[in-house]
Amino acid sequence: MKRYFLLLLALLPVFAWAQFDRYFTESSLRVDYCLTGNRTQTTYSLKELIHEPYWSGSKTNLIDSLEFGNYIVKVFETGTDKLLFSKGYQNLFGEWQTTPEALTLTKTFEESVIVPFPKVKIDVALLYKTWEGELVEGMRLTVSPDDYFIHNYNNLGLSVYEAWIGNKDYTKAVDIVILPEGYTQAEMGKFVKDCDFFVESMFSFVPYDRYRESFNVRGVMVPSEETGCTMPGDHIYKNTAMRFSFWTFDSERYCMSTDNRDIRDLAGQVPYDQIYILVNTDKYGGGGIYNFYCSSASSNHFSGDVIIHEFGHGFAGLADEYYTDETGYDHMYNLAIEPWEPNITTMVDFSNKWGDMLNKKTPVPTPREPKYEQTIGVFEGGGYEPKGMYSPHMDCLMKTFKGHEFCPVCQRAIERMILYYSK
């Protein structure tokens, strides 16, 4: 019986790979859509379908078992409703809904999801979670692989810098595409050096240092008309490739863009799982959204720490663990339900978080006292909330840069995500 069980485990990836080959090609379907709404309303509308040349995601982990994110895309075989693919993510629209502005205005944000390009007719369903945690289907569309309204991607003929290639089979690696924001043609040499700095920074942190061969990092050489980045609070406006701006949601150090199409068109020139934008400035700041994109300044004293912090958001779904800084949000989390991020908890469903890593003698909640500085605990404060939200360590790269390391709970979450993409 044991031998049979081990054989079954060995064959599971083979079965999953066979399912991929039956239903999907080696390329991707990009669904561009719009989210329109305010604090209480969310409406989807289709914009465009694009056939991109690479599928860089796993061919074996097709169904998202992690269930991270308040948004999810699901792919069903049309007619049978068989679930073929799913993936969770976050977006800028969902963050904006928690700002004071969303109480008085209605806005539209352009976004995209990427799924394997089908061999058969499929239904693509886009779902979101309400404030109460209910999963709601916002849009469903049927896609035929021979639909002539699906646009082929635009090959821009841009040069690509392979900063690090750990596995040439990009379906068994975490593929990061780095895009340059605010680098002129004359500064492409600086962008190459900044890509090298990105790689050096990433692999200097645990647990990334143990998984160098599980990553590929490519930079797409796209110049901007002007150097730098837009900074509305300083009355500085730049003509750049992807229109990134500090003061996003009126938060000075938050640097993001709503120019979704250009970001996706540029990223799609190479295989990618994660998008990282290096912003050519020495101003402190950046941003990171799970399975959306990350950004950070390339020339700040803290750039290395910011790079790895923001990638923690975008790649592993880690939450900010600080709770005293001012942000542009009213309340991002409903404290009556359990947040999906692996490194914060409301204690509503703590059993699915880091309870297995606690010492039985550690008090819960855990006091923020010097004797618990190196202890995995349940410390009140996290996710921008000083009360009712808890984090696993007194300090971590998801809170401050004092220790220059992730806590064990965040390390485990990152490692699990690496294995999810590469195994």
Side-chain angles (χ1 to χ4, degrees):
M1 177 65 92
K2 182 179 179 181
R3 190 174 300 174
Y4 173 78
F5 179 71
L6 292 174
L7 177 61
L8 181 61
L9 286 179
L11 289 175
L12 283 176
V14 177
F15 294 150
W17 198 295
Q19 173 160 307
F20 182 92
D21 286 343
R22 178 181 176 185
Y23 291 105
F24 300 115
T25 71
E26 302 283 337
S27 55
S28 296
L29 173 68
R30 189 177 105 204
V31 181
D32 286 0
Y33 64 96
C34 296
L35 275 174
T36 301
N38 50 41
R39 176 64 66 85
T40 59
Q41 296 176 332
T42 300
T43 303
Y44 287 77
S45 56
L46 178 64
K47 186 175 182 183
E48 195 171 23
L49 301 176
I50 298 96
H51 187 182
E52 295 192 331
Y54 308 103
W55 172 252
S56 60
S58 174
K59 288 185 175 180
T60 56
N61 290 322
L62 298 176
I63 310 300
D64 190 342
S65 60
L66 300 172
E67 298 184 345
F68 287 177
N70 288 321
Y71 297 81
I72 190 167
V73 55
K74 294 187 177 183
V75 175
F76 301 92
E77 182 181 25
T78 301
T80 69
D81 226 25
K82 178 181 179 180
L83 181 63
L84 305 178
F85 175 85
S86 66
K87 190 170 187 177
Y89 62 101
Q90 287 289 96
N91 54 40
L92 204 58
F93 173 79
E95 287 194 3
W96 173 78
Q97 282 186 304
T98 67
T99 67
E101 188 179 58
L103 290 170
T104 58
L105 287 181
T106 295
K107 278 191 171 183
T108 296
F109 289 71
E110 296 181 3
E111 299 177 352
S112 300
V113 293
I114 309 289
V115 303
F117 196 87
K119 292 180 178 178
V120 300
K121 187 177 289 188
I122 59 171
D123 286 356
V124 180
L126 300 179
L127 305 97
Y128 67 97
K129 292 177 184 175
T130 65
W131 177 253
E132 295 75 24
E134 179 187 1
L135 194 61
V136 176
E137 185 173 299
M139 182 173 73
R140 180 180 288 241
L141 59 146
T142 299
V143 180
S144 175
D146 57 0
D147 185 349
Y148 46 72
F149 286 113
I150 299 175
H151 296 191
N152 283 325
Y153 95 116
N154 184 16
N155 186 341
L156 301 174
L158 298 167
S159 298
V160 175
Y161 175 57
E162 293 187 341
W164 174 257
I165 302 297
N167 190 338
K168 292 184 179 180
D169 183 353
Y170 46 76
T171 66
K172 294 182 180 180
V174 181
D175 288 276
I176 304 170
V177 57
I178 302 179
L179 303 178
E181 174 70 341
Y183 294 78
T184 63
Q185 184 64 56
E187 293 174 305
M188 284 296 103
K190 181 181 186 300
F191 174 60
V192 166
K193 291 180 181 178
D194 290 343
C195 287
D196 290 338
F197 176 73
F198 178 97
V199 172
E200 177 186 346
S201 298
M202 167 177 274
F203 293 130
S204 68
F205 288 92
V206 178
Y208 296 106
D209 60 339
R210 301 196 300 268
Y211 290 96
R212 292 178 68 98
E213 302 308 312
S214 297
F215 283 84
N216 298 323
V217 183
R218 301 173 177 88
V220 177
M221 313 285 276
V222 51
S224 292
E225 291 295 321
E226 293 184 284
T227 297
C229 185
T230 292
M231 301 179 189
D234 293 331
H235 304 284
I236 296 172
Y237 300 89
K238 297 286 187 174
N239 182 7
T240 54
M242 293 165 285
R243 299 176 181 84
F244 270 73
S245 172
F246 284 87
W247 276 270
T248 298
F249 302 156
D250 208 22
S251 176
E252 179 178 353
R253 69 188 189 191
Y254 199 20
C255 183
M256 304 295 273
S257 173
T258 57
D259 187 8
N260 176 74
R261 180 166 183 166
D262 280 340
I263 294 171
R264 293 291 181 166
D265 283 351
L266 293 170
Q269 303 297 301
V270 297
Y272 76 91
D273 300 304
Q274 298 289 318
I275 302 172
Y276 207 106
I277 290 89
L278 288 179
V279 183
N280 189 21
T281 179
D282 61 3
K283 183 177 177 63
Y284 176 78
I289 299 178
Y290 177 60
N291 281 340
F292 196 64
Y293 65 74
C294 303
S295 70
S296 62
S298 63
S299 303
N300 183 269
H301 176 70
F302 292 105
S303 286
D305 291 306
V306 175
I307 283 170
I308 208 70
H309 173 94
E310 300 302 350
F311 195 65
H313 290 310
F315 174 60
L318 299 176
D320 282 318
E321 293 180 17
Y322 54 82
Y323 48 91
T324 55
D325 292 22
E326 290 186 8
T327 67
Y329 312 118
D330 278 348
H331 292 285
M332 182 170 281
Y333 297 98
N334 181 352
L335 299 181
I337 63 176
E338 186 68 29
W340 58 266
E341 292 92 334
N343 62 322
I344 56 173
T345 181
T346 55
M347 300 298 290
V348 172
D349 186 17
F350 180 62
S351 61
N352 288 320
K353 293 301 173 77
W354 61 89
D356 60 316
M357 300 177 72
L358 286 179
N359 186 305
K360 292 181 180 179
K361 296 181 180 180
T362 302
V364 177
T366 312
R368 289 187 180 270
E369 299 174 357
K371 66 179 179 179
Y372 295 114
E373 277 185 343
Q374 302 303 317
T375 301
I376 299 173
V378 186
F379 299 91
E380 190 164 31
Y384 324 121
E385 298 285 352
K387 298 292 183 181
M389 187 71 79
Y390 301 83
S391 49
H393 222 255
M394 285 183 64
D395 193 28
C396 175
L397 268 169
M398 299 313 296
K399 183 185 179 190
T400 75
F401 299 153
K402 294 177 182 177
H404 299 284
E405 64 181 2
F406 290 106
C407 73
V409 171
C410 289
Q411 288 183 30
R412 182 173 73 170
I414 292 167
E415 187 170 38
R416 284 176 170 174
M417 195 64 73
I418 294 171
L419 295 174
Y420 185 81
Y421 276 94
S422 61
K423 297 298 182 183

